[in-house]
């Protein structure tokens, strides 16, 4: 049995990876509900595996190297333009790029910014949050005290997702050139994702009263509240919590993500499953999603992707399960009926798309009815993370062998167990440990890593914007600079690339498989639990597309 501190860290990673916190009063547990939107647009499968394809929402092409029948994994055609070679200033990491100069990328975030150039322009009539010396930025994080109180878990260790992490990376930026001469003036606020009225008011206050320049999130500022910041108040928002590509269209050009859109996630997921033979015309396929608008868009996206992949969707059992926050009780009869129906139909492949709380309820009922299909998981509603962190202890038989693609660095051996950090991860960990000497190494796929990536990405765009505009920094030219960032190595995911109209940065996925009831194996890998762990079974490669 994992210790309470170990369980706490594992739950924390899942909680921060999801968009909404929910108290389950019957089991005294607060869980964050994931609401990733999907709205896949796709054509037919191509028989020419070398034909370049265009990533949804942007103009980057991918050179296909995948299996026949699809444009499979390839490499980005984006190239550096006028970028020089630079050494990262922490962790000994190196990469190409000029620390914020040039229009191309290939940098390791957090590299040497060089000397500030040009005058620092003061606040202008067209912008806010900028002075000659500072840039005001909000960093919203959710306080997990509600979770620890409800679940009874405690820890004496520094909380990776808390203000300590934000301060560590902001302080590092400010001590190493800042935003090309300006420093970040951080406004660090804890919030409760369950209190949407308060979130709405904070959004208004940040723009109208506090007059902030931008909002940098880890992965908890969720749903329509992203549009409140960007669409309603024309304020840049950078987050790891990506939804449908419809969101940045509405919030353009201010909404930017360090994860793939859900359209990209679903396309990659379905093509991977078909390519590897895990979904065929001979399988009886089930798809389980929720009933919120975002989840119904996800269901429609999956249906289109399956059709594009050659699966007759009339033979697929699609189940919609209600239950999101206060209405979670509505889920129970719907789950029982869906499990019974799918078991009777002989469903042997189940594409899971439920948010964390409802997914857990589903597993309880599936075990009770002894319904054991192969679970295919993905970053849609973060089912890959949920399966390991919340369900594997109780549902080892059901979830054994659950598998799917993810853009996050899951399934890797911890450095203290013989594994190694990627250069960007090492840089983040060095900064973390220097700021908090008593802290343990960072979770390679945890919340502090999200903060590190997002703070340095925001910094990179601000430096570029300042240098390209003779010292003037505005919200709009920051967004223009974001569109110039390509081929950046990050800590949470190996490559971030953007472009005009392309607001989601992650370009690669790996495949992980869930091992359950294997205490010796998982403990030896340095996982945060003892009996189950995700294991990488296919390395990172560019996301698949039709």
């Amino acid at each position: 049995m994992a210790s309470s501190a170990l369980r706490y860290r594992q739950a924390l990673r899942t909680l921060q990876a999801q968009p909404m916190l929910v108290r389950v009063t019957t089991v005294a547990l607060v869980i964050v509900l994931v609401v990733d939107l999907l709205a896949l647009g796709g054509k037919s499968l191509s028989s020419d595996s070398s034909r370049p394809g265009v990533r949804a929402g942007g103009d980057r092409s991918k050179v296909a190297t995948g299996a026949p029948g699809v444009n499979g994994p390839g490499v980005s055609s984006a190239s550096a333009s006028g970028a020089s070679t630079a050494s990262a200033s922490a962790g000994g990491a190196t990469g190409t790029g000029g620390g914020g100069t040039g229009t191309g990328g290939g940098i390791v975030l957090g590299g040497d910014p060089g000397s500030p150039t040009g005058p620092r322009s003061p606040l202008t009539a067209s912008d806010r949050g900028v002075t000659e010396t500072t840039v005001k930025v909000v960093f919203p994080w959710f306080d997990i005290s509600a979770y620890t109180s409800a679940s009874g878990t405690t820890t004496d260790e520094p909380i990776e997702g808390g203000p300590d992490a934000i301060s560590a990376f902001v302080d590092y930026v400010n001590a190493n050139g800042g935003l090309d001469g300006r420093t970040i003036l951080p406004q660090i606020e804890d919030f409760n994702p369950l209190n949407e009225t308060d979130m709405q008011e904070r959004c208004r206050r940040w723009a109208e009263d506090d007059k902030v320049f931008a909002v940098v999130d880890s992965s908890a500022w969720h749903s329509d509240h992203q549009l409140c910041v960007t669409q309603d108040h024309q304020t840049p928002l950078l987050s790891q919590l990506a939804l449908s590509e419809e969101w940045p269209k509405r919030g353009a050009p201010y909404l930017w993500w360090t994860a793939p859109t859900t359209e990209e996630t679903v396309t990659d997921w379905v093509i991977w499953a078909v390519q590897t033979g895990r979904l065929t015309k001979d399988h009886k396929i089930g798809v389980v999603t929720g009933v919120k608008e975002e989840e119904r868009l996800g269901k429609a996206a999956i249906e289109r992707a399956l059709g594009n992949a050659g699966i007759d969707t009339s033979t697929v059992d699609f189940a919609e399960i209600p239950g999101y926050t206060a209405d979670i009780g509505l889920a129970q009869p719907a789950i029982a009926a869906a499990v019974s129906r799918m078991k009777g139909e002989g469903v042997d492949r189940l594409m899971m798309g439920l948010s964390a709380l409802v997914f857990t309820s589903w597993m309880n009922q599936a075990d009770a009815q002894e319904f054991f299909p192969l679970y295919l998981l993905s970053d849609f509603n973060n089912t890959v993370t949920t399966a390991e962190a919340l369900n594997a202890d109780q549902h080892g038989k059901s979830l054994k062998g659950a598998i799917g693609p993810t853009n996050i660095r899951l399934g890797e051996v911890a450095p203290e167990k013989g594994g190694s950090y990627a250069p960007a991860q090492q840089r983040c960990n060095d900064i973390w440990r220097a700021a908090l000497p008593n802290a343990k190494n960072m979770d390679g796929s945890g919340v502090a890593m999200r903060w590190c990536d997002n703070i340095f990405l925001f910094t990179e765009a601000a430096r570029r914007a300042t240098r390209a505009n003779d010292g003037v920094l505005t919200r709009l030219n920051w967004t223009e600079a974001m569109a110039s960032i390509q081929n950046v190595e990050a800590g949470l995911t190996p490559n971030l690339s953007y472009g005009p109209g392309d607001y989601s940065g992650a370009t690669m996925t790996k495949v992980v498989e869930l091992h359950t009831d294997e205490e010796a194996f998982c403990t030896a890998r340095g996982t945060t639990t003892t009996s189950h762990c995700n294991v990488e079974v296919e390395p990172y490669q560019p996301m698949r597309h039709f």
Side-chain angles (χ1 to χ4, degrees), residues 4-357:
S4 61
L6 293 178
R7 288 183 181 279
Y8 173 85
R9 290 196 302 275
Q10 183 73 359
L12 172 60
R13 185 175 72 184
T14 302
L15 290 169
Q16 289 278 28
Q18 319 287 338
M20 179 167 264
L21 192 64
V22 177
R23 180 182 299 271
V24 188
T25 56
T26 57
V27 295
L29 177 64
V30 176
I31 298 175
V32 172
L33 299 181
V34 184
V35 191
D36 286 347
L37 274 83
L38 300 169
L40 172 66
K43 303 298 182 182
S44 60
L45 296 177
S46 168
S47 60
D48 180 3
S49 64
S50 64
R51 180 179 61 84
V54 179
R55 185 178 178 203
D59 58 3
R60 295 195 308 280
S61 63
K62 300 288 172 61
V63 180
T65 58
V70 297
N71 277 340
V75 297
S76 171
S77 64
S79 61
S81 174
S84 60
T85 301
S87 296
S89 55
T94 61
T96 59
T101 62
T103 59
I107 66 170
V108 175
L109 287 178
D112 181 3
S115 299
T117 59
R120 304 280 71 79
S121 175
L123 182 69
T124 67
S126 63
D127 219 289
R128 52 175 157 79
V130 181
T131 71
E132 293 184 9
T133 58
T134 64
V135 179
K136 184 184 288 188
V137 181
V138 169
F139 299 92
W141 69 281
F142 79 79
D143 186 350
I144 62 170
S145 60
Y147 170 77
T148 58
S149 175
S151 64
T153 54
T154 60
T155 180
D156 295 327
E157 300 172 17
I159 299 174
E160 282 199 358
D164 282 349
I166 300 168
S167 296
F169 302 118
V170 169
D171 290 348
Y172 179 85
V173 168
N174 286 341
N176 289 272
L179 308 183
D180 201 49
R182 293 183 176 91
T183 59
I184 297 174
L185 183 62
Q187 184 169 314
I188 302 173
E189 296 191 11
D190 64 305
F191 74 101
N192 176 8
L194 185 59
N195 189 340
E196 299 199 49
T197 300
D198 179 65
M199 291 180 69
Q200 190 76 11
E201 171 56 22
R202 286 173 188 262
C203 167
R204 184 208 62 77
R205 171 170 57 79
W206 293 340
E208 298 177 12
D209 300 339
D210 300 337
K211 300 188 184 305
V212 304
F213 178 85
V215 179
V216 176
D217 174 45
S218 59
S219 55
W221 197 260
H222 60 84
S223 306
D224 288 342
H225 303 293
Q226 292 190 353
L227 297 180
C228 176
V229 172
T230 57
Q231 182 180 33
D232 298 345
H233 291 96
Q234 292 80 55
T235 301
L237 171 64
L238 180 60
S239 175
Q240 202 270 335
L241 179 57
L243 304 173
S244 167
E245 66 181 8
E246 183 65 23
W247 254 234
K249 288 178 182 177
R250 297 176 188 175
Y254 298 104
L255 181 55
W256 298 82
W257 293 324
T258 52
T261 67
T262 47
E263 287 82 359
E264 294 168 319
T265 292
V266 164
T267 300
D268 179 68
W269 185 22
V270 169
I271 293 177
W272 160 79
V274 172
Q275 282 182 330
T276 58
R278 289 179 174 85
L279 287 181
T280 71
K281 298 177 181 179
D282 296 327
H283 289 123
K284 180 58 181 176
I285 302 167
V287 176
V288 185
T289 56
V291 298
K292 285 179 66 68
E293 178 188 2
E294 303 94 318
E295 295 172 307
R296 283 179 166 158
L297 287 171
K299 172 191 172 184
I302 294 170
E303 186 171 11
R304 288 193 296 272
L306 288 171
N308 289 334
I311 302 295
D312 181 1
T313 56
S314 67
T315 67
V316 177
D317 188 334
F318 289 91
E320 287 189 343
I321 307 299
Y324 189 67
T325 53
D327 62 347
I328 183 59
L330 298 175
Q332 307 311 319
I335 289 174
V339 168
S340 177
R341 183 181 71 246
M342 288 186 176
K343 181 179 179 180
E345 292 173 347
V347 167
D348 59 356
R349 297 291 188 272
L350 188 61
M351 301 186 73
M352 175 53 63
L354 291 176
S355 57
L357 175 59

